[in-house]
Amino acid sequence: MTIRTLLLTPWMTPHRVISYERAIVLSFLGKVEVVAEYDELIRSPSLTIRAPAVVRQRRARHAGKTRVTFSRLNVFTRDGFTCQYCRVTFERRELNIDHVMPRSRGGATTWDNVVTSCYPCNQKKAGRTPEEAEMKLLKRPVRPTSLPARARLDADQSELPALWKAFWF
Ligand SMILES: [Zn+2]
């Protein structure tokens, strides 16, 4: 099985899901403190420790240091897998990305010009702007500074380990 660790912000809110190996490294570096441990033992030639289930960052990372990679999946994640025109939440395979200013009219494929769209809305809007198509955007697209761990996990449709539940809200 894959052991995953929930990384919390210094304020105890979910930040992201990391591998337990990464969590152990961060713990040794003093960057995180272990909040909860699994029963599973991790054995290496030199030591045996319990796998960290939940760790907490000791300090906030400097703003601007993290850059969310631009990808279709990350656009869907930013938008909560919700079509930004009809406001319905879909499965990943039912979603497309829509250029707010159409590509045919010079619109760029960038965080601030693409939104999550279902295929029917995408087809209906076609080569028009939201104003021309009279299709109101749920929100103006912007580059995210981080992606919500919850959305990422929902996308995986994974089950939450029991030890995470106290921190997952
Ligand atoms: Zn739609």
Side-chain angles (χ1 to χ4, degrees):
M1 84 172 244
T2 312
I3 301 174
R4 295 175 308 162
T5 303
L6 177 62
L7 173 62
L8 300 176
T9 66
W11 309 279
M12 302 297 276
T13 55
H15 180 57
R16 55 185 298 204
V17 177
I18 60 177
S19 68
Y20 80 87
E21 293 97 334
R22 178 84 188 130
I24 290 170
V25 169
L26 290 173
S27 171
F28 276 120
L29 293 174
K31 299 204 167 160
V32 299
E33 59 177 330
V34 178
V35 176
E37 294 173 320
Y38 292 115
D39 289 332
E40 282 86 355
L41 293 172
I42 307 298
R43 291 190 175 83
S44 78
S46 55
L47 83 166
T48 301
I49 57 166
R50 293 173 74 196
V54 182
V55 296
R56 175 194 183 191
Q57 288 177 324
R58 288 196 190 276
R59 249 200 329 241
R61 291 227 256 162
H62 292 292
K65 214 174 176 182
T66 48
R67 266 174 86 86
V68 180
T69 311
F70 181 85
S71 69
R72 280 170 68 91
L73 180 60
N74 284 347
V75 170
F76 299 161
T77 303
R78 178 196 66 184
D79 297 339
F81 290 80
T82 301
C83 172
Q84 297 296 290
Y85 296 106
C86 67
R87 288 137 209 251
V88 176
T89 302
F90 290 92
E91 302 261 336
R92 180 180 178 176
R93 62 185 161 76
E94 298 171 305
L95 290 169
N96 201 352
I97 61 168
D98 175 72
H99 289 73
V100 177
M101 173 56 74
R103 259 189 303 189
S104 57
R105 290 160 61 178
T109 306
T110 51
W111 281 113
D112 55 4
N113 193 49
V114 299
V115 294
T116 301
S117 168
C118 67
Y119 283 92
C121 285
N122 197 222
Q123 269 167 17
K124 186 178 159 205
K125 180 173 167 284
R128 299 177 291 178
T129 64
E131 293 73 26
E132 289 164 356
E134 291 180 16
M135 294 169 71
K136 197 171 157 28
L137 272 175
L138 182 57
K139 58 183 187 299
R140 195 172 62 85
V142 292
R143 169 190 289 280
T145 51
S146 69
L147 292 174
R150 179 193 296 269
R152 217 190 311 241
L153 217 77
D154 287 347
D156 292 338
Q157 299 187 331
S158 311
E159 279 184 37
L160 298 187
L163 284 165
W164 292 11
K165 295 211 165 125
F167 306 97
W168 204 268
F169 49 85

